[in-house]
mmCIF file of all heavy atoms in Angstrom:
data_model
loop_
_atom_site.group_PDB
_atom_site.id
_atom_site.type_symbol
_atom_site.label_atom_id
_atom_site.label_comp_id
_atom_site.label_asym_id
_atom_site.label_seq_id
_atom_site.Cartn_x
_atom_site.Cartn_y
_atom_site.Cartn_z
ATOM 1 N N SER A 542 0.524 129.855 -7.711
ATOM 2 C CA SER A 542 0.641 131.316 -7.686
ATOM 3 C C SER A 542 0.914 131.852 -9.090
ATOM 4 O O SER A 542 1.461 131.165 -9.940
ATOM 5 C CB SER A 542 1.739 131.752 -6.729
ATOM 6 O OG SER A 542 2.993 131.403 -7.247
ATOM 7 N N ASP A 543 0.511 133.078 -9.326
ATOM 8 C CA ASP A 543 0.695 133.703 -10.634
ATOM 9 C C ASP A 543 2.013 134.456 -10.730
ATOM 10 O O ASP A 543 2.184 135.293 -11.608
ATOM 11 C CB ASP A 543 -0.467 134.669 -10.912
ATOM 12 C CG ASP A 543 -1.767 133.923 -11.135
ATOM 13 O OD1 ASP A 543 -1.702 132.749 -11.536
ATOM 14 O OD2 ASP A 543 -2.836 134.516 -10.890
ATOM 15 N N GLN A 544 2.924 134.184 -9.829
ATOM 16 C CA GLN A 544 4.192 134.911 -9.820
ATOM 17 C C GLN A 544 5.122 134.341 -10.877
ATOM 18 O O GLN A 544 5.063 133.174 -11.233
ATOM 19 C CB GLN A 544 4.838 134.799 -8.442
ATOM 20 C CG GLN A 544 3.979 135.371 -7.338
ATOM 21 C CD GLN A 544 4.571 135.089 -5.975
ATOM 22 O OE1 GLN A 544 5.661 134.561 -5.867
ATOM 23 N NE2 GLN A 544 3.835 135.446 -4.948
ATOM 24 N N ASP A 545 5.995 135.201 -11.348
ATOM 25 C CA ASP A 545 7.009 134.776 -12.313
ATOM 26 C C ASP A 545 8.368 134.789 -11.636
ATOM 27 O O ASP A 545 8.501 135.130 -10.476
ATOM 28 C CB ASP A 545 7.029 135.736 -13.510
ATOM 29 C CG ASP A 545 5.778 135.620 -14.350
ATOM 30 O OD1 ASP A 545 5.215 134.512 -14.383
ATOM 31 O OD2 ASP A 545 5.377 136.627 -14.954
ATOM 32 N N GLY A 546 9.383 134.457 -12.368
ATOM 33 C CA GLY A 546 10.743 134.537 -11.849
ATOM 34 C C GLY A 546 11.114 133.324 -11.027
ATOM 35 O O GLY A 546 11.081 132.199 -11.511
ATOM 36 N N LEU A 547 11.462 133.574 -9.776
ATOM 37 C CA LEU A 547 11.974 132.510 -8.913
ATOM 38 C C LEU A 547 10.902 131.590 -8.348
ATOM 39 O O LEU A 547 11.227 130.616 -7.689
ATOM 40 C CB LEU A 547 12.769 133.126 -7.756
ATOM 41 C CG LEU A 547 14.109 133.729 -8.124
ATOM 42 C CD1 LEU A 547 14.769 134.332 -6.888
ATOM 43 C CD2 LEU A 547 15.028 132.691 -8.733
ATOM 44 N N SER A 548 9.636 131.868 -8.592
ATOM 45 C CA SER A 548 8.584 131.017 -8.019
ATOM 46 C C SER A 548 8.703 129.588 -8.540
ATOM 47 O O SER A 548 8.453 128.632 -7.810
ATOM 48 C CB SER A 548 7.200 131.589 -8.302
ATOM 49 O OG SER A 548 6.936 131.586 -9.689
ATOM 50 N N TRP A 549 9.085 129.410 -9.798
ATOM 51 C CA TRP A 549 9.241 128.051 -10.340
ATOM 52 C C TRP A 549 10.460 127.355 -9.743
ATOM 53 O O TRP A 549 10.455 126.140 -9.560
ATOM 54 C CB TRP A 549 9.334 128.086 -11.864
ATOM 55 C CG TRP A 549 8.000 128.424 -12.453
ATOM 56 C CD1 TRP A 549 7.626 129.593 -13.036
ATOM 57 C CD2 TRP A 549 6.848 127.588 -12.459
ATOM 58 N NE1 TRP A 549 6.307 129.553 -13.416
ATOM 59 C CE2 TRP A 549 5.808 128.308 -13.067
ATOM 60 C CE3 TRP A 549 6.583 126.309 -12.006
ATOM 61 C CZ2 TRP A 549 4.543 127.792 -13.241
ATOM 62 C CZ3 TRP A 549 5.308 125.794 -12.187
ATOM 63 C CH2 TRP A 549 4.306 126.531 -12.793
ATOM 64 N N PHE A 550 11.474 128.127 -9.427
ATOM 65 C CA PHE A 550 12.651 127.545 -8.766
ATOM 66 C C PHE A 550 12.264 126.993 -7.389
ATOM 67 O O PHE A 550 12.620 125.879 -7.037
ATOM 68 C CB PHE A 550 13.759 128.602 -8.630
ATOM 69 C CG PHE A 550 14.903 128.147 -7.776
ATOM 70 C CD1 PHE A 550 15.828 127.227 -8.262
ATOM 71 C CD2 PHE A 550 15.062 128.628 -6.484
ATOM 72 C CE1 PHE A 550 16.880 126.799 -7.476
ATOM 73 C CE2 PHE A 550 16.110 128.203 -5.698
ATOM 74 C CZ PHE A 550 17.031 127.283 -6.187
ATOM 75 N N PHE A 551 11.518 127.784 -6.612
ATOM 76 C CA PHE A 551 11.100 127.340 -5.286
ATOM 77 C C PHE A 551 10.118 126.171 -5.374
ATOM 78 O O PHE A 551 10.142 125.265 -4.554
ATOM 79 C CB PHE A 551 10.502 128.494 -4.484
ATOM 80 C CG PHE A 551 11.523 129.514 -4.072
ATOM 81 C CD1 PHE A 551 11.387 130.829 -4.439
ATOM 82 C CD2 PHE A 551 12.632 129.141 -3.325
ATOM 83 C CE1 PHE A 551 12.336 131.771 -4.077
ATOM 84 C CE2 PHE A 551 13.581 130.068 -2.943
ATOM 85 C CZ PHE A 551 13.437 131.392 -3.319
ATOM 86 N N ALA A 552 9.256 126.195 -6.373
ATOM 87 C CA ALA A 552 8.328 125.076 -6.567
ATOM 88 C C ALA A 552 9.105 123.802 -6.895
ATOM 89 O O ALA A 552 8.818 122.718 -6.364
ATOM 90 C CB ALA A 552 7.333 125.387 -7.675
ATOM 91 N N GLY A 553 10.109 123.915 -7.749
ATOM 92 C CA GLY A 553 10.935 122.750 -8.093
ATOM 93 C C GLY A 553 11.724 122.232 -6.907
ATOM 94 O O GLY A 553 11.828 121.017 -6.672
ATOM 95 N N LEU A 554 12.269 123.164 -6.124
ATOM 96 C CA LEU A 554 13.017 122.785 -4.930
ATOM 97 C C LEU A 554 12.110 122.107 -3.903
ATOM 98 O O LEU A 554 12.461 121.056 -3.350
ATOM 99 C CB LEU A 554 13.671 124.033 -4.329
ATOM 100 C CG LEU A 554 14.738 123.839 -3.279
ATOM 101 C CD1 LEU A 554 15.920 123.063 -3.836
ATOM 102 C CD2 LEU A 554 15.203 125.190 -2.760
ATOM 103 N N SER A 555 10.939 122.687 -3.666
ATOM 104 C CA SER A 555 9.979 122.079 -2.736
ATOM 105 C C SER A 555 9.545 120.712 -3.234
ATOM 106 O O SER A 555 9.411 119.761 -2.459
ATOM 107 C CB SER A 555 8.750 122.968 -2.561
ATOM 108 O OG SER A 555 9.085 124.166 -1.938
ATOM 109 N N GLY A 556 9.317 120.593 -4.539
ATOM 110 C CA GLY A 556 8.908 119.316 -5.114
ATOM 111 C C GLY A 556 9.965 118.245 -4.948
ATOM 112 O O GLY A 556 9.667 117.101 -4.589
#
Side-chain angles (χ1 to χ4, degrees):
S542 70
D543 291 335
Q544 300 173 5
D545 291 330
L547 288 179
S548 65
W549 288 107
F550 171 75
F551 290 122
L554 193 61
S555 294

